[in-house]
Amino acid sequence: MRAERTPSVEPAIVRAGTLAAELETILRDGGVEHPRREAGDIIAAIVDAPRFWAAQHRDVLVAPVVIELARAAAMQRAQGAPFAYAVGRAAFRHLTLMVDERVLIPRQETELLVEEVLSRVSGGVVADIGTGSGAIALALATEGSFDRVIATDVSTAALAVAAENLRRCTGVLRCRVELVAGSLLTPLAGRRVDAVVANPPYIAHAEARALPETVRNWEPPTALFSAEDGMRHTAELIRGVPAVLRSGGLLAVEVDARRAVQAAALARAEPCLRDVLVRPDLTGRDRILLATRVDE
């Protein structure tokens, strides 16, 4: 006799307004600030729609897969996870990137770092050092006019995330993107590039307790903290970049505003680096170090 098949059980289909109310309860019970707003934001992120989508489409039926993902995201937020990790994605310039605890969450101030490179460099090869999710490299490769973008990271786990984001961006790339494992400038040994851009770790270990819990307890320490009072990675980049930059090439580094003066002094001490300046972010804090390589 043929055995009878047990029908699979799927989540009941609900309306967007009903799901939002459920998520709001989960978030409120978890102590999340503004639970109603975040409930709508979670649904919008999952369906890849504008943030007010749930409020404007309360009677729309939501697919079971969206219900499951939204509930899981709300539970993660209730447990303290950053929003980007909970929904598994983050916006960076015109891109939507996959992110999780293997990589730093892209920040808005880093978008200005990309803007500086796009406005100063055209053509040639650009290297993104410590690429993480691939945010900088992929923004440059989809917006700029370069021959190639090299994206490096010491973390193979981070490179796996970058590789997935690269796959998702295949249709909008304007140049080849090469992912390479290695610490700082090591993967560029024997090469010359037209620009080096980096958002290196720059928080001192002693400053960890002052960070928000969503940063301190969730984001990868290797992407956050640097020895020597937060300056080791930045200093190594500045001292090593003359060996890999072509003459006229650009160095663009995101720095801690508290150490911007120190970073600029290190750049000015390098005989091959000229036109050293620090640009402010949108809040007026000095955050972007720029310098140009010249022949000695």
Side-chain angles (χ1 to χ4, degrees):
M1 294 178 61
R2 182 181 298 177
E4 291 186 5
R5 296 179 61 186
T6 302
S8 60
V9 178
E10 293 187 349
I13 298 177
V14 299
R15 300 184 188 280
T18 303
L19 178 59
E22 178 187 341
L23 302 186
E24 182 181 346
T25 299
I26 295 172
L27 295 167
R28 181 179 293 107
D29 291 347
V32 175
E33 242 186 317
H34 311 299
R36 178 175 298 180
R37 183 181 70 192
E38 280 218 16
D41 289 348
I42 286 173
I43 296 172
I46 299 299
V47 302
D48 195 21
R51 65 180 306 184
F52 297 112
W53 183 89
Q56 296 169 346
H57 300 83
R58 296 184 62 83
D59 293 328
V60 172
L61 294 175
V62 181
V65 64
V66 173
I67 297 169
E68 288 188 351
L69 291 173
R71 286 172 177 166
M75 290 298 297
Q76 279 199 287
R77 279 294 289 138
Q79 294 166 9
F83 183 87
Y85 288 163
V87 299
R89 65 193 67 192
F92 187 78
R93 293 181 69 87
H94 67 289
L95 301 173
T96 298
L97 302 170
M98 182 192 85
V99 295
D100 58 29
E101 294 170 56
R102 292 173 289 177
V103 297
L104 198 72
I105 298 169
R107 264 69 170 183
Q108 187 177 20
E109 54 264 31
T110 306
E111 296 186 11
L112 296 177
L113 182 64
V114 172
E115 193 65 39
E116 289 289 346
V117 177
L118 290 173
S119 67
R120 295 167 181 269
V121 183
S122 180
V125 179
V126 178
D128 171 26
I129 306 302
T131 195
S133 65
I136 292 173
L138 294 174
L140 292 172
T142 55
E143 295 183 58
S145 300
F146 306 109
D147 299 321
R148 182 159 46 109
V149 174
I150 302 170
T152 79
D153 206 294
V154 70
S155 168
T156 54
L159 284 175
V161 177
E164 174 59 21
N165 283 322
L166 173 58
R167 185 191 66 80
R168 297 181 181 199
C169 290
T170 299
V172 292
L173 293 175
R174 300 175 65 179
C175 70
R176 178 186 171 194
V177 177
E178 178 183 351
L179 302 178
V180 188
S183 176
L184 295 177
L185 297 169
T186 303
L188 301 183
R191 307 194 199 192
R192 289 283 181 174
V193 299
D194 298 278
V196 168
V197 56
N199 177 18
Y202 52 65
I203 299 173
H205 291 282
E207 297 165 345
R209 294 181 64 183
L211 294 173
E213 287 188 6
T214 52
V215 176
R216 183 178 67 244
N217 296 341
W218 291 85
E219 299 198 61
T222 54
L224 292 171
F225 300 109
S226 185
E228 300 174 19
D229 195 29
M231 283 296 297
R232 184 178 73 81
H233 291 81
T234 300
E236 286 189 20
L237 277 170
I238 292 171
R239 291 167 183 152
V241 80
V244 301
L245 269 183
R246 292 192 177 95
S247 180
L250 175 72
L251 171 65
V253 184
E254 184 172 318
V255 298
D256 189 317
R258 296 166 294 186
R259 302 177 181 98
V261 172
Q262 186 178 353
L266 286 173
R268 292 189 178 101
E270 289 296 319
C272 289
L273 296 181
R274 295 284 192 277
D275 302 324
V276 177
L277 61 102
V278 179
R279 299 294 300 271
D281 64 14
L282 294 174
T283 65
R285 297 176 300 170
D286 289 338
R287 294 300 300 275
I288 302 172
L289 172 70
L290 301 166
T292 302
R293 189 200 186 285
V294 297
D295 291 330
E296 294 183 81

